[in-house]
Amino acid sequence: MSFSTEFSLGEVVRGLASNKFSVQEVVTEYLSAVKGAAYLNAFITVAETPALQEAKRIDAVPVAERGVLKGAPIGVKDNILTRGLTTTAASKMLEHFVPPYDATVIERLKGAGGMVLGKTNLDEFAMGSSNENSAFGAVRNPWDVERVPGGTSGGSAAAVAARLVPAALGTDTGGSVRQPASFCGVLGLKPTYGRVSRYGVIAYASSLDQVGVLAHTTEDLALLLSIIGGHCRFDATSSRRPLFSAETKFKGDRESVAGLKVGLPKEYFLQGLDNEVSAAVTNTVAELEKLGAKVVDISLPHTEAAVAAYYIIAPAEASSNLSRYDGIRYGYRAAGVSSLKDVYRRTRTEGFGEEVKRRIMIGTYVLSSGYYEAFYRKAQQVRTLIARDFTQVFAADCDVIATPVAPTTAYKLGEKLTDPLQMYLGDIFTIPVSLAGLPALSIPGGLSSVGLPIGVQLIAPHFQEDRLLQISAALEPVLQWRAQGPQTSWRV
Amino acid sequence: MSDVPTKPPLDSSVVSQIERSDDIPIDVNAIANLCYLEVVPERAHHLKQELTDILNYVKALSAYDTHAVEPMSHVHVGDVNELREDELIESLSREEVLSCAPDRKGAFYKVPLIIES
């Protein structure tokens, strides 16, 4: 068996483990694929030399002595710190920033025998929904290069969809793993808040951020989550709840799905929802019914408040988190400035892009004296109501919830750039899940009539990622999303 | 709990401002000042409109009854005050940290003079 970039991460690992091919061969092939796909702009930094050096080093280690990933490379979103490898958050502010330490998820990845092929493009500081807010150019969707890949993990989603890496890490605050996964036809898992350490992840909104995984197979999601997840002493919000091991197999057999109650919340299927998006969800759920699941209608009454609550809470937390970018200890510093306050002002004005500045200003406003109670505190109270909706339906009505991921398929580049609010409304189905801190998975639920991927969102109770993975494993042979790949006519 | 300071009462003028359908008055320059950003005069009007649109949208939350509802700052409400043992461990070296500095001199960050006007 020779290596192919079509392989899943699991297949790469098994091939390496049985010495069918070497790590150097694997890395060389992926690097070549990345070069051929430069037009997609999925990567900000390609770690060519370090990756080849690391591949050579690992190849000299007997397979039995390597970690469970055996040397396989993945992509990493460029808001996750990688020691010695430039980490930019797709911002001019950190254009030349070389972190002196690895994020916990990177340490664990490396400890498990994995390596970083490159840093994928994103919306600046993880703020956006289309990967058009990067200081290093927009990312193109491999399914249609005139369209967005989604965001903010657009680079990771595009790289996985285009088979430039077998899998990638992203981050999800309001939908930023799930929505690009939906737009690019790959799996995208956002774990429960607290399931994966945020140490070394460039902070956007601390009560919402989570590292997530993008891949083609359930096995790959499970493998990477088992490696990166679990309690971290450096993240006080990380949970001590046990996580399944890397050896766990999610067979997705009938037993795991039969009798499951799948809730369809009426507030997510209003008049005006694109027919094809709606059909993708109902078709997917129908497949689960064939496997013995039951469908129930449910209600999440505070759904309509979610986008408003999020666009108060997230910018507020961002305004606080981004106050560290002041030109003093790291990152960009404005030149030719003579007073400290001017260093702050000019550095931040020149270093940040427009969307980032917009959100910092909104956040500053809603936290300011006189407005805090009416905006921020109110939003936090509404957040409690939204979270309670989910707790109630999981307790009484259903075991998992199925919804669309996004109201549309991938839109054209430039289409939503002039109206920030329109862009925000695209997050309507992913945001409530983030506010409640629940685990959710975007599964490729088919293609639209013009051949664009449509994702279906599955939501489980807190810390029940295994339930999502069982369902994904059950649907995998039925929906066969791997067989549908983007055209590669854009390749040089 | 009589010695716990009570929260200041909700500013009723702010609340009524928010509940009315009028635009919320936004002083773009005052906000920018608070977060150390500069607003280019040519952009100020457009930025003010964008922020007004967004804030008008989010103020819809005032319609929700949140009487006696606790504000949520952490989704796992019981998982607070997560403490660890106070043990000394290796951290980053001074050199590793200073290597990131835009401007340094020896063991120090170099910064402009703080000018009090």
Side-chain angles (χ1 to χ4, degrees), chain A residues 193 240 333 358 378 384, chain B residues 50 64 70 76 82 110:
Chain A
Y193 181 82
R240 292 181 190 274
R333 178 189 286 197
R358 203 164 14 238
K378 184 75 178 183
T384 298
Chain B
E50 283 176 347
Y64 288 86
E70 275 302 298
H76 306 303
E82 172 71 24
K110 262 180 85 177

Side-chain angles (χ1 to χ4, degrees), chain A residues 92-93 332-335 337 344-353 357, chain B residues 37-38:
Chain A
K92 217 177 137 192
M93 188 64 85
Y332 179 73
R333 178 189 286 197
V337 205
Y344 296 160
R345 271 192 277 262
R346 288 269 315 280
T347 294
R348 291 164 65 79
T349 302
E350 290 168 16
F352 289 139
K357 286 190 275 200
Chain B
L37 290 173
E38 287 168 345

Side-chain angles (χ1 to χ4, degrees), chain A residues 115-455:
Chain A
M115 74 153 102
V116 180
L117 193 83
K119 306 304 291 299
T120 56
N121 205 344
L122 62 152
D123 284 288
E124 188 179 358
F125 283 105
M127 299 184 202
S129 306
S130 64
N131 221 132
E132 294 174 285
N133 288 326
S134 168
F136 306 111
V139 175
R140 293 176 181 274
N141 190 321
W143 291 79
D144 178 341
V145 297
E146 300 307 319
R147 293 179 187 266
V148 303
T152 59
S153 308
S156 284
V160 173
R163 273 76 177 172
L164 310 181
V165 282
L169 298 184
T171 63
D172 190 311
T173 302
S176 289
V177 161
R178 293 162 283 157
Q179 185 252 41
S182 173
F183 281 9
C184 290
V186 298
L187 289 169
L189 174 67
K190 180 196 90 69
T192 310
Y193 181 82
R195 181 56 102 184
V196 180
S197 174
R198 292 180 300 107
Y199 181 72
V201 178
I202 295 177
Y204 157 25
S206 308
S207 77
L208 297 160
D209 293 342
Q210 269 297 280
V211 174
V213 184
L214 298 101
H216 292 287
T217 67
T218 308
E219 178 187 37
D220 291 355
L221 294 182
L223 181 58
L224 283 171
L225 181 63
S226 73
I227 289 166
I228 62 173
H231 182 254
C232 167
R233 64 182 299 175
F234 300 120
D235 178 355
T237 61
S238 76
S239 175
R240 292 181 190 274
R241 286 172 188 77
L243 179 60
F244 54 82
S245 70
E247 288 70 36
T248 309
K249 300 290 172 216
F250 290 91
K251 292 193 295 258
D253 47 7
R254 213 195 143 86
E255 268 128 55
S256 59
V257 175
L260 264 186
K261 284 179 281 179
V262 181
L264 293 176
K266 65 181 191 199
E267 292 83 3
Y268 287 60
F269 294 93
L270 299 175
Q271 280 280 67
L273 176 63
D274 183 292
N275 285 335
E276 292 185 314
V277 169
S278 181
V281 182
T282 44
N283 290 341
T284 301
V285 169
E287 294 299 340
L288 288 175
E289 279 184 292
K290 287 184 200 162
L291 294 169
K294 307 255 173 291
V295 177
V296 295
D297 290 321
I298 60 170
S299 174
L300 296 168
H302 296 91
T303 299
E304 225 194 321
V307 173
Y310 176 87
Y311 279 103
I312 290 174
I313 292 169
E317 295 183 8
S319 73
S320 177
N321 282 325
L322 271 66
S323 64
R324 69 193 63 181
Y325 302 105
D326 58 11
I328 303 300
R329 290 155 300 154
Y330 44 75
Y332 179 73
R333 178 189 286 197
V337 205
S338 53
S339 85
L340 188 65
K341 290 194 174 178
D342 282 343
V343 167
Y344 296 160
R345 271 192 277 262
R346 288 269 315 280
T347 294
R348 291 164 65 79
T349 302
E350 290 168 16
F352 289 139
E354 288 310 309
E355 182 60 30
V356 169
K357 286 190 275 200
R358 203 164 14 238
R359 293 200 197 189
I360 290 173
M361 292 186 70
I362 291 174
T364 301
Y365 182 88
V366 302
L367 288 175
S368 62
S369 165
Y371 294 98
Y372 165 84
E373 292 271 357
F375 282 101
Y376 186 67
R377 191 165 186 277
K378 184 75 178 183
Q380 288 186 305
Q381 288 174 304
V382 170
R383 185 174 183 177
T384 298
L385 297 178
I386 292 167
R388 234 184 241 171
D389 282 357
F390 284 101
T391 308
Q392 280 165 0
V393 301
F394 281 133
D397 304 316
C398 62
D399 305 305
V400 69
I401 297 170
T403 78
V405 174
T408 65
T409 52
Y411 40 87
K412 296 241 187 235
L413 288 158
E415 194 178 312
K416 300 208 179 187
L417 278 180
T418 50
D419 190 344
L421 194 50
Q422 271 311 304
M423 183 84 81
Y424 297 167
L425 290 171
D427 298 332
I428 196 167
F429 301 132
T430 49
I431 274 175
V433 175
S434 304
L435 290 172
L438 297 165
L441 175 57
S442 176
I443 288 190
L447 301 180
S448 73
S449 52
V450 299
L452 294 171
I454 306 173

